[in-house]
Amino acid sequence: KKLIKRVNSDVERFFSVKAADKGSLKQEIASSYDPNLVEDYWYDWWEKNGLFSPSSVENDLNAQDVNSQNTFSMILPPPNVTGSLHIGHALTCTVQDVMARYNRMNGKSTVWIPGLDHAGIATQSVVERRLAKETGKTRHDIGRENLVEKIWEWKENHGGQITRQLRRLGASLDWSREIFTLDEHASEAVTEAFVRLYDDGLIYRSSRLVNWSSRLNTALSDIETSPLDLDGQTELSIPGLTKKIKFGKLERFAYSLESTEGSLKTSNSELVVATTRPETIFGDTAVAVHPDDIRYKHFHGKHVIQPLTGRRVPVVLDPVLVDPDKGTGAVKITPGHDFNDFECGKRHNLDALDIMRDDGTLNHLAPGFEGMNRLEARQVVLDALEVTGAYRGGEDMAMRVITCSRSGDVIEPRLKKMWFVNTEKMAKNALNMVHDGNIEIIPGTHKKIWESWLKEPRDWCISRQLWWGHRIPAFAVSSKSENSKLNRNLGEFQENVTWIAGRTEDEARIRAADILSIDIDDVELVQDPDVLDTWFSSGLFPLVCLQWPKQNPLESCYYPFSVLETGSDILFFWVARMVMLCSHLTGYKKNNASTREIPPFRNVYLHPMVRDANGRKMSKSLGNVIDPIDLIQGKELETLLSDVKLGNVDRHEVQLACDSIKKDFPKGIPECGTDGLRFALCAYMSQGDKINLDITRVQNYRFLCNKLWQAIKFVLRAVEGDGLSKEDSLINRRQLSSLLQNKESHHSHMAEHWILSRLDHGVEKVRESLDQYNFGNAANAIQNLLVAEFCDIYIEFAKHSLRSDVPEVRQTSVRTLCICAETILRLAHPIMPFVTEELWQRVMSHMTSTERLNTLSIMVAPFPTSEKDNTSEIKENPAELAMSEALDLLRVLRSGREEFRAYLSSDKPAIVYCGDDSNSNRWERIQGFLPDVAAQVRGLEATLLPLGSSMPEGLLIRNAEKGIKVGFAIQYADTVSKDIKMAKKRLAKVSRSVESNLKSMKKPGYEDKVPEEVRMRNRKSLDRLLEQKTTIEGLIRELELIRSSKC
């Protein structure tokens, strides 16, 4: 007998007129889920129909008729235009798209703005390497304009990869608002911000220490560097150098007291200092000791002699820098090449010497070593110190080497004259915004990091020695009538040159004439050749997205943005700088008093960092970097290995990466589909501050998509096979409630009442989780509702109802199936957009015109709301109570069927006993659901004893909960003796384990010497063994009873 009647394939169905172009919707649903067939169509369809734009305001950012409480706005952290998205980007994209789709379905006017970052260093490096490879020329050979033109060409040809990846991931971005940080409008905003900050006295030009990459010839931010921790002396390969360089060794040498120079050296006449960078000796301008260190009292106020140059340097007293209990208690001070020493130099008014050229070679301040690479000079300097007799030996030392994340070169702190932002006031405001609750950081544990960065902020170097980026709108100015102080070719300027900021050269000329008190025609200008740090333009991104400075974001219903979602690693580098810059620039002064500054977003949500399955940080050298597209469409092992060999992995690390890939992905990467990947990333969000991504688990969520597919397929066949009229409502909850109250069918509808209760509970759980940014709990709640409750329980009960001879019973089941299916699809849509759209269109094709309500897509269908009576708890719900009893009874019937399969009587059913006359309510409940329960236990019929009856003798009894018993009628079978023998072997094995555990626990000193957690674990293990022993003993007795029944 077929479960459900099949209908002809030419049944007339309704689809959205615009969705009908997808031919597969007109065909019978496929037998199984195929992500390629589902995902290839819908994104273009969504975009073509304008579903990503906030239609309620018709793209007008200044619409006054939209309440800001009914809007949801967000920006996508702009990825670098140079590369492709990695799995961390996929997590960002997924989480933000879930938020956007959820709020859109809740009826909020939703705008999610995409962007691309011009990525100054990364982009210019790529094009410069390509230029050198193809022509053998450098940027200086072709000039600034030609290089910038080539970069724009490269951007146009290669910059679309990220956009394609975002679309493949299902990101419902409003592409009409896409921003590129070098667009004309963005450039105008960056210039305006620089000039305003300059006019406010917050941007200044000064000589300060910066992170310098001699390979790239530019200053870098901290986030563009990579720390390399060494346990001790290690030889490292440095790009551009032929020999390996030693690191991780602390070298000692002596400074002689000036008065004893040339005389016999004693411990009282020299200060021994230690350093891991002996080549910086030429930049030393002092030796510091602690003022309370009695060993060096006779050095106070004296000078010592630098052993290689003979230069006098003072001995300074510094309790801040020097710890007398560490090392020798004397510290060489190199203000021009060490950040701590630079601060010490300011305290003691010391000279700061830059001993290096931009290419990393030593300059004229290192006589005898000039022109030598500073790292290659390291050993030569030590040899020279040994010749002079100043060398005092060395030892291994654990240390951290800071390298350039782009070039691999060692970063050098260098003294450079550049532009800086004074962040003290802005940092204080940003700190207060979190303290006062104007910005909420989620999770709250990151607030401590926020405070640690902003309580003692450092001034921010915003100059970069590049040609690709926003050129600094500052001009060196002088009078033509005087001797020119300006060098137009090199951009090098004398110390006393006057600087002016201006939005244009004409504005700068007018400002210069006013400041210099000269005629405007007598002004000579040279613009600073440097560009601004990429993080400066990125810090303005919220304002740029809302057309600042042409429009005031404070007048927009979308500002401040609802939430800023990103990774915790850029909390300071990007998030804090956005808060500082945007809040300062959108504030205004009235009567010389600043108004309260508005933050650019209300909430900051920081997602976990993604690592591989073994918890390792993802890196190209380890071969564990995963392209999300590879997870979506799958990739064979041979292709993965080929990609590494053809990529930009260092040739020394290629084999290591390939070996790692073979170990981690021996069969390649399986096809998981976009929805499977998205669901996996959300489910992982409950793991903590790190996500250890296991490909097998991601694949399991692709199987979850198939589970959903099969469930909807079952529902559709139930609809088609029931013969309901086209005008019959299938998803009207009120009509269903009326049917469930109908007593004429003599059916309890326990399963229907129960699944609707679980549906409401699941909806509440998902809503609560998404409102609290708890994406892991939301995913788990959806999976539990779909698999554990709808598929594994209700559909199994529904199968029996659909066979009923009573039409009302069948139709009630069909309506319940439709309501649950359609609700689950809407519930899961924010996380699994593609498969839910495909299946929702199919489900809605069977709905009445009233139910369709001209809803074009599930994207704009309302997100489910609970219809549960909030006054009643689940434990008081009769349906929940009945289902609990039904599932327990089902468990006992199934386990008994399996346990006694060989001995069950063919002509006697299982007998269910529910107690004496006092349990009439329970008896009625069981009478109502027992047929549905028994129908799920094939090969076994079950009957309910009349109330007040006693359990017949001769049955094997199994206990359910609350006093319910099930008796199984058995008969003799030839296998009984064999089964008894096997059971006794199992009993003997378990008994030996019990005795062994008891013996260990009775040893002297067990309670005192064994840790409590171990004792508890042993106790639980013993309890499980004793329970197994009791169960096996009972089984043996029952089998003996069966064997004796033949006698």
Side-chain angles (χ1 to χ4, degrees), residues 467-686:
W467 291 350
W468 173 249
H470 299 98
R471 191 168 177 179
I472 295 177
F475 302 81
V477 300
S478 69
S479 171
K480 292 179 182 178
S481 59
E482 300 178 3
N483 293 329
S484 178
K485 304 172 183 176
L486 309 180
N487 186 325
R488 291 181 177 275
N489 295 322
L490 300 179
E492 297 175 353
F493 310 97
Q494 295 181 8
E495 289 295 321
N496 58 348
V497 166
T498 301
W499 286 88
I500 295 293
R503 296 167 181 82
T504 63
E505 186 172 321
D506 288 342
E507 183 184 52
R509 193 177 300 277
I510 295 171
R511 289 183 170 208
D514 182 57
I515 291 177
L516 298 177
S517 299
I518 61 177
D519 189 89
I520 193 169
D521 295 330
D522 194 28
V523 173
E524 183 177 17
L525 299 175
V526 174
Q527 186 173 358
D528 192 324
D530 291 350
V531 300
L532 288 164
D533 179 12
T534 301
W535 292 103
F536 186 85
S537 56
S538 297
L540 302 171
F541 195 66
L543 302 184
V544 173
C545 288
L546 298 181
Q547 305 302 306
W548 184 87
K550 291 182 178 179
Q551 297 183 25
N552 185 356
L554 298 181
E555 297 176 0
S556 168
C557 57
Y558 295 121
Y559 197 88
F561 288 95
S562 305
V563 63
L564 186 282
E565 192 279 344
T566 188
S568 57
D569 55 329
I570 55 175
L571 177 60
F572 172 75
F573 294 101
W574 189 44
V575 181
R577 285 169 175 171
M578 280 191 289
V579 173
M580 288 190 289
L581 291 176
C582 294
S583 58
H584 178 81
L585 292 169
T586 53
Y588 63 95
K589 293 183 178 180
K590 189 174 183 180
N591 298 326
N592 295 322
S594 297
T595 63
R596 185 173 65 89
E597 296 180 342
I598 305 298
F601 27 75
R602 299 185 186 95
N603 298 294
V604 176
Y605 177 75
L606 303 169
H607 64 243
M609 305 307 295
V610 184
R611 298 178 179 265
D612 69 8
N614 300 311
R616 300 175 302 176
K617 185 177 180 180
M618 291 189 176
S619 70
K620 292 180 180 178
S621 62
L622 292 176
N624 60 355
V625 174
I626 301 175
D627 185 335
I629 305 304
D630 291 344
L631 273 171
I632 290 171
Q633 59 192 24
K635 183 170 281 191
E636 295 180 349
L637 175 61
E638 291 74 15
T639 309
L640 289 172
L641 297 175
S642 176
D643 289 347
V644 172
K645 294 173 182 177
L646 297 176
N648 59 355
V649 178
D650 188 283
R651 59 186 179 87
H652 301 292
E653 298 176 333
V654 168
Q655 190 57 50
L656 175 65
C658 289
D659 291 343
S660 179
I661 288 174
K662 291 176 183 178
K663 180 181 178 182
D664 293 341
F665 314 117
K667 297 181 180 179
I669 297 177
E671 180 189 51
C672 300
T674 301
D675 288 322
L677 173 60
R678 288 170 58 114
F679 202 95
L681 291 172
C682 287
Y684 266 117
M685 295 290 279
S686 57

Side-chain angles (χ1 to χ4, degrees), residues 243-310:
K243 294 182 179 180
K244 290 186 175 181
I245 304 297
K246 290 182 180 179
F247 293 86
K249 189 175 182 182
L250 188 67
E251 308 286 3
R252 294 189 178 89
F253 59 89
Y255 273 80
S256 299
L257 190 62
E258 182 182 27
S259 60
T260 60
E261 179 64 16
S263 61
L264 183 66
K265 303 293 189 300
T266 67
S267 59
N268 290 328
S269 64
E270 65 180 24
L271 287 175
V272 177
V273 297
T275 179
T276 58
R277 301 162 64 210
E279 66 277 9
T280 62
I281 186 175
F282 303 106
D284 292 354
T285 55
V287 175
V289 297
H290 196 283
D292 299 332
D293 193 337
I294 60 174
R295 294 173 296 174
Y296 303 126
K297 287 288 185 182
H298 60 290
F299 281 93
H300 293 191
K302 303 291 180 64
H303 285 75
V304 291
I305 304 300
Q306 204 260 41
L308 295 185
T309 64

Side-chain angles (χ1 to χ4, degrees), residues 794-834:
Y794 179 69
I795 284 182
E796 295 304 313
F797 277 88
K799 288 176 180 178
H800 182 246
S801 299
L802 293 172
R803 297 190 188 99
S804 173
D805 294 330
V806 182
E808 290 81 1
V809 173
R810 296 196 306 271
Q811 292 172 11
T812 300
S813 184
V814 168
R815 284 175 166 82
T816 305
L817 285 168
C818 286
I819 287 174
C820 291
E822 196 272 341
T823 302
I824 290 173
L825 288 173
R826 284 186 286 128
L827 204 62
H829 175 73
I831 300 178
M832 308 163 77
F834 292 103

Side-chain angles (χ1 to χ4, degrees), residues 13 19 34 95 98 265 355 376 442 444 508 541 708 841 946 991:
R13 301 179 183 175
D34 182 346
V95 169
V98 170
K265 303 293 189 300
I355 65 171
E376 291 178 324
I442 306 163
F541 195 66
L708 176 62
Q841 292 285 352
S991 297

Side-chain angles (χ1 to χ4, degrees), residues 599-856:
F601 27 75
R602 299 185 186 95
N603 298 294
V604 176
Y605 177 75
L606 303 169
H607 64 243
M609 305 307 295
V610 184
R611 298 178 179 265
D612 69 8
N614 300 311
R616 300 175 302 176
K617 185 177 180 180
M618 291 189 176
S619 70
K620 292 180 180 178
S621 62
L622 292 176
N624 60 355
V625 174
I626 301 175
D627 185 335
I629 305 304
D630 291 344
L631 273 171
I632 290 171
Q633 59 192 24
K635 183 170 281 191
E636 295 180 349
L637 175 61
E638 291 74 15
T639 309
L640 289 172
L641 297 175
S642 176
D643 289 347
V644 172
K645 294 173 182 177
L646 297 176
N648 59 355
V649 178
D650 188 283
R651 59 186 179 87
H652 301 292
E653 298 176 333
V654 168
Q655 190 57 50
L656 175 65
C658 289
D659 291 343
S660 179
I661 288 174
K662 291 176 183 178
K663 180 181 178 182
D664 293 341
F665 314 117
K667 297 181 180 179
I669 297 177
E671 180 189 51
C672 300
T674 301
D675 288 322
L677 173 60
R678 288 170 58 114
F679 202 95
L681 291 172
C682 287
Y684 266 117
M685 295 290 279
S686 57
Q687 185 169 298
D689 62 347
K690 294 181 181 65
I691 291 176
N692 295 341
L693 190 72
D694 186 346
I695 303 302
T696 303
R697 183 174 175 185
V698 179
Q699 188 181 25
N700 287 337
Y701 289 112
R702 182 254 169 93
F703 301 148
L704 178 67
C705 294
N706 187 61
K707 188 79 171 180
L708 176 62
W709 188 273
Q710 298 301 331
I712 302 303
K713 181 180 174 183
F714 175 87
V715 173
L716 293 175
R717 289 180 176 174
V719 174
E720 294 168 353
D722 192 68
L724 286 167
S725 166
K726 287 289 290 183
E727 296 307 315
D728 287 332
S729 175
L730 294 178
I731 57 172
N732 188 308
R733 186 80 176 261
R734 290 184 178 179
Q735 289 188 18
L736 177 60
S737 297
S738 299
L739 288 172
L740 291 174
Q741 302 303 323
N742 184 7
K743 303 299 184 181
E744 295 182 4
S745 64
H746 302 290
H747 193 280
S748 68
H749 296 302
M750 178 270 297
E752 284 70 30
H753 285 290
W754 175 81
I755 191 60
L756 293 175
S757 172
R758 302 313 301 159
L759 185 68
D760 286 333
H761 176 73
V763 167
E764 287 181 343
K765 184 67 175 177
V766 173
R767 271 191 168 277
E768 177 186 3
S769 299
L770 292 180
D771 286 339
Q772 297 175 358
Y773 305 103
N774 199 327
F775 303 97
N777 282 359
N780 292 335
I782 291 169
Q783 183 177 11
N784 182 70
L785 175 62
L786 169 63
V787 178
E789 296 173 342
F790 184 60
C791 292
D792 292 354
I793 296 178
Y794 179 69
I795 284 182
E796 295 304 313
F797 277 88
K799 288 176 180 178
H800 182 246
S801 299
L802 293 172
R803 297 190 188 99
S804 173
D805 294 330
V806 182
E808 290 81 1
V809 173
R810 296 196 306 271
Q811 292 172 11
T812 300
S813 184
V814 168
R815 284 175 166 82
T816 305
L817 285 168
C818 286
I819 287 174
C820 291
E822 196 272 341
T823 302
I824 290 173
L825 288 173
R826 284 186 286 128
L827 204 62
H829 175 73
I831 300 178
M832 308 163 77
F834 292 103
V835 68
T836 52
E837 181 73 83
E838 173 89 9
L839 294 174
W840 186 83
Q841 292 285 352
R842 289 184 175 276
V843 169
M844 294 304 289
S845 71
H846 295 277
M847 302 299 112
T848 66
S849 57
T850 302
E851 290 173 321
R852 290 192 295 267
L853 293 175
N854 297 319
T855 303
L856 180 64

